[in-house]
Amino acid sequence: MLRRLTRDGWTTRAGFALPDPAWDVGAARLVLHGRIGDDDTESAQLAVLAAARGAGVVAVCDAESPAGRALIDDLSRLGPVNRGVDGSDVIANLIPEQRALLDRLAAGDTIAAAAAAEFLSLRTANRRIAEARALFGVRTTREAVLAYLRQRQRAPE
């Protein structure tokens, strides 16, 4: 994963503490990486802060540990979280809000109606759908819904 990011022009750095005092480090194309232990909440907090400030984060952790669950939950609020290195199971990478929105869109709802039914603002719903489009690697919401339905049919329940 880190080699792929480096090839794509990102700068990788071990650890989750940001060296740059500027708040927004997104333009620096910086990816912080490291291992987060089962009870290492301090590293998890630093990783979330780095992501909030615009850095990419590659964290190796047990997703079922308290720190891992908290990390995934917090990072999911900021944007898409890709679990695993191959990304073959896109549905597993969707957050519950994205799944609910895609289910409603597949049932024929508009984005506005799906957002209202899920108690989300229209802006948040549009952001979640845009993140889902990026995860599926498609350009339109219709293509994302179709890709979601295809993968959901293939996935064992």
Side-chain angles (χ1 to χ4, degrees):
M1 175 63 75
L2 293 174
R3 277 188 230 135
R4 186 180 330 155
L5 290 167
T6 302
R7 261 194 322 264
D8 291 341
W10 291 81
T11 302
T12 61
R13 183 173 174 274
F16 297 109
L18 284 169
D20 192 352
W23 176 257
D24 185 6
V25 296
R29 295 183 54 91
L30 177 66
V31 174
L32 304 177
H33 62 90
R35 187 171 296 277
I36 296 178
D38 292 348
D39 296 320
D40 190 1
T41 56
E42 182 180 343
S43 291
Q45 290 172 346
L46 285 172
V48 171
L49 177 62
R53 290 178 57 189
V57 173
V58 176
V60 177
C61 67
D62 177 8
E64 299 306 316
S65 71
R69 283 194 306 269
L71 177 66
I72 292 168
D73 186 43
D74 289 343
L75 289 175
S76 294
R77 290 187 184 107
L78 297 173
V81 174
N82 296 319
R83 296 172 71 170
V85 285
D86 62 354
S88 60
D89 187 7
V90 176
I91 290 181
N93 293 328
L94 295 173
I95 62 174
E97 287 175 347
Q98 290 168 323
R99 286 184 208 174
L101 289 168
L102 288 168
D103 283 331
R104 290 187 181 279
L105 292 173
D109 285 359
T110 64
I111 293 177
E118 293 299 321
F119 304 103
L120 298 171
S121 71
L122 181 57
R123 180 176 183 207
T124 298
N126 280 322
R127 281 196 344 251
R128 296 294 185 245
I129 295 299
E131 293 162 359
R133 286 194 311 261
L135 282 172
F136 283 111
V138 297
R139 292 181 335 143
T140 68
T141 299
R142 181 179 183 276
E143 290 172 322
V145 171
L146 292 173
Y148 172 71
L149 291 174
R150 276 193 302 274
Q151 285 214 1
R152 195 175 69 177
Q153 285 175 341
R154 277 189 247 141
E157 295 293 325

